[in-house]
Amino acid sequence: MTAMERYFVCYYHEIILKRNNRDFFEKRLWKNVERALSGLPYRSIRRISGRLLLELSPDSPVEEIGARLQKVFGLVFCCPAWLSNQDMKRLQEDLWELVRRQEFRTFKIHARRANKKYPFTSPKMNELLGDVIRKRSKGTVRLDHPDLTCYVDIVEKYAFLYFRKLTGAKGLPVSSSGKVVVLLSGGIDSPVAAYKVMKRGCRVIFVHFHSLPYTTPESLEKVRRLVSILNQYQYHSKIYMVPFAHSQKQIVAFTPVQTRVILYRRLMMRLSEKIARRERAHALVTGESIGQVASQTLPNLRAISDVCELPILRPLIGDDKEEIIAVARRIGTFPISILPAEDCCSLFIPRHPETRAKLEGIKRIESRLDIDQMVQDTLKQLEIEKIEFQGEMESQAISR
Ligand code: ATP
Ligand code: MG
């Protein structure tokens, strides 16, 4: 073992481009890193230029910390590093000390100096450090795809050495862009839509409509599991479970079969907007994509959007199913989304639904219903569940 102190050097993604309000984004990111690491031992977190520096303790689990950091939006790379010294002789010795225990035939040095007062330029550092490794190890320098890349980062008063760059989640820190309400079904698309807006710095409040007792409680369990996965990015989540069966029955009783899905959706939007106002959220988010299913044609999207004043964000609008599934697989929601469970919207719907809803016609049909009363009644029956991130996926606490 070497006596060098262990760190994680975490590099900012887009925050680096922020000028006036950089401080705000950095503080948000810092808080999120703290939450992501909750329950794990480490010494401290501090800000240095363009980076967050995480100082580890001897009992810090390096791999686990790396895995957690990789899910913090706002970071582009997280590098498990050793702290060396800016003195070239000591830097050379420290690097050799780390390199000698590694197996490789080809290598390169990738040195950077963020601190331009440092007397050696990056090419000069590459040369001075490379010479030592070459002579002592018999390895040869190879610039493209070497077995071993030795990163050297000179920043402020520090000199860090590392060999691995763990890819970060990129984007902006969760909560730096404000709050949104995501309409979360148990399907494939809406969890991906949630992920995408979280990546843009939104804190997400989840709203799920269910048709209990006509659908099974498994559908709620599915939603909880999806939120648990997404909660790894925002650390605490709230789900509004909204009973929808009563409203659906009225829609079924008084309106023609072809327009039902559009009426369901308009009602969902109205209710979601009420919840958004209560939560001080700035927008609603859905997993819709143009033309994917009958309810998502342009005329229908217009008829659905019509009831809302808040903006409706549709982050998947131009994506095809394959692209959406690829993200769902990567973030781990896909296997849960495809579990069988009936969605409220698959109840009482026709085989040939309306694809070209005319707003006036829809409004006329809807006027047969007492929408305000339906909204008021439903709002009295909302159930809120909370999910807290406590490190391990399995140990997330769900409170009702
Ligand atoms: P998903 O995979 O997200 O269910 P989908 O392709 O099945 O999408 P639809 O069922 O038409 O599409 O739903 C469109 C959008 O409406 C969903 O992405 C979601 O945002 C919202 N939505 C649909 N059903 C529900 C529900 N039961 N609760 C909350 N939101 C819903
Ligand atoms: Mg669906």
Side-chain angles (χ1 to χ4, degrees):
M1 283 297 284
T2 86
M4 280 174 268
E5 297 283 343
R6 302 277 341 237
Y7 283 80
F8 263 91
V9 185
C10 306
Y11 296 86
Y12 300 152
H13 188 225
E14 271 174 61
I15 295 179
I16 214 86
L17 305 170
K18 306 283 174 204
R19 297 214 174 273
N20 298 332
N21 45 6
R22 167 106 163 240
D23 187 59
F24 163 78
F25 286 95
E26 286 190 62
K27 282 185 179 146
R28 197 66 255 178
L29 181 63
W30 179 334
K31 261 210 149 44
N32 292 351
V33 166
E34 267 179 357
R35 301 202 71 142
L37 298 181
S38 67
L40 298 181
Y42 60 89
R43 278 208 187 107
S44 67
I45 302 174
R46 76 193 97 127
R47 286 194 278 176
I48 57 171
S49 65
R51 299 146 177 78
L52 269 191
L53 199 55
L54 175 69
E55 185 177 356
L56 303 184
S57 49
D59 57 342
S60 293
V62 175
E63 295 308 314
E64 172 71 17
I65 288 178
R68 299 252 193 116
L69 290 173
Q70 283 187 287
K71 291 205 170 122
V72 180
F73 286 124
L75 295 174
V76 63
F77 290 115
C78 321
C79 307
W82 285 263
L83 177 62
S84 175
N85 192 285
Q86 291 195 349
D87 175 77
M88 183 49 78
K89 266 260 147 322
R90 289 180 59 188
L91 195 54
Q92 285 169 326
E93 290 309 318
D94 282 348
L95 182 61
W96 171 243
E97 188 58 32
L98 295 170
V99 164
R100 59 188 285 211
R101 286 176 276 138
Q102 314 228 20
E103 297 250 342
F104 65 95
R105 257 183 274 165
T106 56
F107 76 98
K108 78 169 172 188
I109 310 287
H110 189 296
R112 263 199 349 179
R113 60 170 184 163
N115 171 3
K116 298 293 179 212
K117 290 195 197 118
Y118 189 62
F120 302 99
T121 61
S122 305
K124 191 71 194 167
M125 276 192 278
N126 288 342
E127 182 191 321
L128 293 173
L129 293 163
D131 278 349
V132 170
I133 305 302
R134 206 161 34 81
K135 284 181 191 141
R136 297 190 191 175
S137 72
K138 304 194 188 74
T140 52
V141 173
R142 186 163 148 184
L143 297 183
D144 56 333
H145 304 298
D147 298 335
L148 180 71
T149 301
C150 312
Y151 296 94
V152 184
D153 190 6
I154 303 290
V155 51
E156 295 183 5
K157 61 181 182 185
Y158 306 100
F160 292 106
L161 300 172
Y162 55 87
F163 305 94
R164 286 190 296 157
K165 288 169 90 165
L166 308 181
T167 315
K170 306 188 184 162
L172 292 169
V174 160
S175 284
S176 64
S177 304
K179 230 189 248 179
V180 297
V181 160
V182 170
L183 284 79
L184 189 76
S185 67
I188 296 167
D189 304 329
S190 41
V192 173
Y195 172 84
K196 284 201 163 188
V197 292
M198 283 170 156
K199 186 172 178 180
R200 299 311 304 158
C202 297
R203 164 159 291 286
V204 167
I205 303 290
F206 297 96
V207 176
H208 176 70
F209 298 87
H210 65 80
S211 306
L212 258 54
Y214 302 100
T215 52
T216 58
E218 271 104 77
S219 60
L220 300 194
E221 202 44 45
K222 233 177 118 172
V223 166
R224 287 181 196 116
R225 289 179 67 189
L226 289 169
V227 173
S228 297
I229 290 181
L230 294 164
N231 192 44
Q232 295 178 97
Y233 302 94
Q234 66 172 13
Y235 323 113
H236 57 91
S237 297
K238 216 190 239 187
I239 318 173
Y240 282 80
M241 297 290 192
V242 188
F244 206 55
H246 184 69
S247 308
Q248 282 180 296
K249 277 206 279 189
Q250 294 187 53
I251 292 172
V252 168
F254 296 107
T255 67
V257 69
Q258 293 82 356
T259 49
R260 272 180 203 162
V261 176
I262 297 169
L263 296 182
Y264 292 166
R265 284 292 141 72
R266 281 166 65 91
L267 190 55
M268 283 185 183
M269 287 299 171
R270 289 186 177 98
L271 288 162
S272 302
E273 183 166 42
K274 293 275 188 218
I275 293 170
R277 302 240 182 237
R278 184 192 278 196
E279 288 286 343
R280 298 180 197 283
H282 303 286
L284 306 180
V285 179
T286 74
E288 289 159 316
S289 151
I290 299 176
Q292 196 195 73
V293 289
S295 58
Q296 298 174 20
T297 61
L298 284 179
N300 288 1
L301 290 177
R302 180 185 171 215
I304 293 166
S305 308
D306 169 69
V307 295
C308 264
E309 217 175 274
L310 283 178
I312 301 173
L313 309 180
R314 299 180 165 103
L316 311 183
I317 200 70
D319 292 349
D320 62 42
K321 204 74 188 186
E322 256 174 65
E323 292 166 321
I324 298 168
I325 288 176
V327 181
R329 282 189 199 281
R330 188 159 53 77
I331 63 175
T333 52
F334 185 72
I336 299 168
S337 291
I338 58 172
L339 293 175
E342 229 177 338
D343 183 64
C344 70
C345 292
S346 51
L347 281 187
F348 325 121
I349 58 160
R351 211 174 315 185
H352 300 292
E354 179 63 81
T355 55
R356 277 175 287 175
K358 296 245 178 355
L359 193 51
E360 289 318 309
I362 292 286
K363 283 184 178 167
R364 210 168 31 240
I365 295 170
E366 209 176 55
S367 68
R368 301 175 199 166
L369 303 163
D370 190 347
I371 294 285
D372 286 345
Q373 192 61 49
M374 285 160 82
V375 169
Q376 291 314 318
D377 290 347
T378 308
L379 288 177
K380 284 183 204 137
Q381 299 171 53
L382 302 178
E383 282 182 22
I384 300 176
E385 299 187 8
K386 289 183 176 167
I387 297 192
E388 292 296 328
F389 179 69
Q390 291 165 334
E392 296 298 313
M393 260 297 291
E394 295 72 30
S395 70
Q396 300 197 71
I398 299 178
S399 61
R400 287 169 210 165

